[in-house]
Amino acid sequence: MYGDIPNTSVVVQKYGGTSVGSPERIRNVAARVARQYRAGWRRMAVVVSAMSGETNRLVALVRDVNPQASAKNYDMAVAAGEQVAVALLAAALEGEGVAAEPFLAWQLGIVTDEAHARARIRSIRRDKVEAAWAQGRIPIVAGFQGMTEDMEITTLGRGGSDTSAVALGVALDAAFCEINTDVDGVYTCDPRIVPAARLLEEMDYEVALEMASLGSKVLHPRCVELGAKYKLPIVVRNTFTTDDHQRTRVMTQTTEIESLAVSGVTLDKDVARVTVSGLGSGSVGISELFSVIAQRGINVDIIVHDKPGMKSEPGRLGFTVAKGDLSATVETIGQLAKKSAGSGTGASVRADTESGLAKVSVVGVGMRSYAGVAGKTFAALSDAGIQIHMISTSEIKISCVIAETDGAKACQVLHKAFFENQ
Ligand code: ADP
Ligand code: ASP
Ligand code: MG
């Protein structure tokens, strides 16, 4: 099944929400794992997500009870989906005649920091896994969850089971970590938006990280970060096929001699814009603004500064944040304006917000040495009548903020421009 890799190697497999989305699908995963067990793979660990839709249901439930619920209570509630999934998969494996042991994060010893709802893994103990293997059992581990040193339940952020799996792979010195999902691998664009998207057979961590961070949901960005840091190869493949050749390998050294200018197009719908007016001399300063926002733990993405330094019109600044951070951002700016007004400054500082936006990006390490990618991007969007609200570039990406309703069309025209006309 894994080519030349000997079956004495350690392998971590992760199954996502859709892969375990019904009793039948759970039995399908159990049959896959059992087949491999029978083929002699004894040092396997399996990480699972909650059944599809379950985490959304739990998040909505918490929000319904109290929209301001603390992150600690949120984590306790939303981590529950994975508890059910590990138990069901272990039960299905029992049905296959294969011994398995389900583990919640606290039982296994997945220790995180205290940043509830976006916790980072600090360490994972291997003794429980080793003990399970010694007894001929396959450990089935709850993804997405962790525990603090004080035994409080944490979660890693939405989509975080990929990160649980790669972190477990690192802790166990696995040969690789396999992410099993509902598509064949990582494509040049989300294949649900662009049916003509191509499967990328291999990609380096840098491109994978950029695509993941810019909205390509198939891999959680932090799992790619971890894979890169510890040089653990990540294989993305489809749970629903047995084809061993259709997959994406994310690794350090790809066989490509020269990188393509563009490797992929991504869409991030989790974008909201804040426009702050009244900044500048005698008022709230930009550094003060961003330091209070950072203290609140809010990540700011694209920043655009209009007419900086003009006396006739005070500075106006636009920036984007995740939709979930919008109300906290506005509240933070309001508090800052009030405090400054009290001290005789900042009375006119105002924050306006805009949602209904999305960010479309073109990504590729080859961009460093090819000219014309920006021009082609803007031309494709403009020919399609798509208005660009904000632009941000780096050496390996061009991002444009557009209306969310233009998101799918933008992906399609950019994909056509970079991949379908050659
Ligand atoms: P899982 O539940 O297995 O973790 P996710 O829903 O988190 O699966 O991620 C898989 C989905 O990611 C696919 O169904 C696909 O729609 C979406 N996706 C977005 N961008 C890409 C891409 N570039 N390549 C493949 N899938 C993508
Ligand atoms: N179940 C969690 C979520 O829906 C984690 C994951 O799927 O990776 O976000
Ligand atoms: Mg996922």
Side-chain angles (χ1 to χ4, degrees):
M1 184 162 182
Y2 291 137
D4 295 341
I5 298 174
N7 62 8
T8 45
S9 311
V10 173
V11 172
V12 174
Q13 296 188 346
K14 178 254 172 177
Y15 292 90
T18 320
S19 307
V20 294
S22 66
E24 193 194 340
R25 288 182 172 183
I26 292 173
R27 284 193 294 268
N28 169 53
V29 169
R32 263 181 104 93
V33 174
R35 215 171 24 245
Q36 216 163 331
Y37 185 83
R38 291 191 192 105
W41 293 82
R42 292 292 183 270
R43 302 177 79 212
M44 252 191 303
V46 179
V47 173
V48 265
S49 301
M51 295 170 78
S52 57
E54 186 57 12
T55 311
N56 285 348
R57 188 182 73 83
L58 295 170
V59 169
L61 206 54
V62 184
R63 299 280 177 248
D64 187 358
V65 169
N66 176 7
Q68 311 296 334
S70 66
K72 187 174 152 180
N73 286 334
Y74 167 95
D75 274 353
M76 177 77 92
V78 304
E82 272 69 14
Q83 172 160 350
V84 174
V86 284
L88 294 181
L89 181 56
L93 278 162
E94 255 171 12
E96 286 282 340
V98 172
E101 193 166 348
F103 287 104
L104 298 179
W106 66 266
Q107 294 175 307
L108 197 72
I110 302 180
V111 179
T112 70
D113 60 17
E114 287 87 36
H116 283 282
R118 55 178 112 192
R120 285 183 171 261
I121 297 176
R122 282 191 176 147
S123 61
I124 300 183
R125 282 173 44 185
R126 18 185 324 159
D127 51 344
K128 292 277 175 60
V129 173
E130 302 275 6
W133 284 338
Q135 292 165 12
R137 295 171 185 275
I138 303 176
I140 312 292
V141 181
F144 183 52
Q145 351 176 309
M147 64 157 192
T148 65
E149 302 277 2
D150 296 333
M151 297 286 285
E152 277 179 8
I153 291 176
T154 52
T155 62
L156 310 181
R158 297 303 307 270
S161 296
D162 299 336
T163 298
S164 309
V166 173
L168 187 60
V170 169
L172 298 173
D173 298 315
F176 61 92
C177 177
E178 184 180 85
I179 305 288
N180 294 279
T181 183
D182 56 4
V183 286
D184 285 350
V186 183
Y187 285 76
T188 46
C189 189
D190 186 339
R192 296 187 203 287
I193 302 176
V194 177
R198 295 186 209 148
L199 184 69
L200 295 160
E201 283 177 20
E202 50 185 42
M203 58 198 309
D204 56 35
Y205 294 111
E206 195 181 9
V207 174
L209 180 59
E210 202 70 12
M211 282 183 67
S213 309
L214 291 169
S216 142
K217 175 174 163 218
V218 62
L219 289 175
H220 192 237
R222 275 160 44 208
C223 95
V224 186
E225 235 171 66
L226 270 178
K229 184 169 173 190
Y230 295 96
K231 301 204 167 25
L232 178 72
I234 301 170
V235 179
V236 185
R237 60 188 295 172
N238 198 325
T239 306
F240 303 103
T241 65
T242 45
D243 186 340
D244 286 343
H245 302 292
Q246 286 281 97
R247 60 182 164 188
T248 301
R249 274 178 289 194
V250 183
M251 53 198 179
T252 314
Q253 205 90 63
T254 65
T255 52
E256 236 172 51
I257 295 176
E258 287 221 61
S259 307
L260 291 170
V262 172
S263 302
V265 175
T266 63
L267 181 68
D268 183 357
K269 293 186 189 160
D270 190 13
V271 179
R273 177 160 65 173
V274 182
T275 307
V276 187
S277 45
L279 291 168
S281 63
S283 179
V284 172
I286 294 180
S287 61
E288 203 181 350
L289 175 78
F290 286 116
S291 60
V292 289
I293 290 173
Q295 276 158 22
R296 188 85 186 248
I298 297 166
N299 264 334
V300 168
D301 186 19
I302 301 178
I303 304 175
V304 176
H305 195 185
D306 286 346
K307 301 191 175 76
M310 280 185 61
K311 282 216 175 101
S312 53
E313 189 174 337
R316 218 168 62 117
L317 192 90
F319 61 89
T320 60
V321 293
K323 284 177 183 160
D325 286 336
L326 189 58
S327 59
T329 308
V330 172
E331 193 187 298
T332 308
I333 297 170
Q335 282 163 359
L336 180 66
K338 222 163 156 186
K339 208 173 109 210
S340 310
S343 66
T345 61
S348 57
V349 172
R350 221 186 72 197
D352 294 302
T353 62
E354 192 182 349
S355 28
L357 297 171
K359 181 171 73 176
V360 66
S361 308
V362 168
V363 181
V365 278
M367 231 181 252
R368 288 189 178 116
S369 48
Y370 285 86
V373 176
K376 204 164 170 178
T377 302
F378 303 142
L381 293 176
S382 141
D383 289 350
I386 297 170
Q387 196 196 338
I388 301 173
H389 296 266
M390 292 168 114
I391 297 169
S392 145
T393 62
S394 80
E395 268 193 310
I396 62 164
K397 67 123 203 251
I398 295 167
S399 296
C400 299
V401 174
I402 56 174
E404 191 176 337
T405 46
D406 286 333
K409 191 167 175 200
C411 288
Q412 286 150 8
V413 297
L414 289 172
H415 195 271
K416 200 168 204 127
F418 287 103
F419 296 99
E420 296 167 48
N421 284 344
Q422 298 153 18

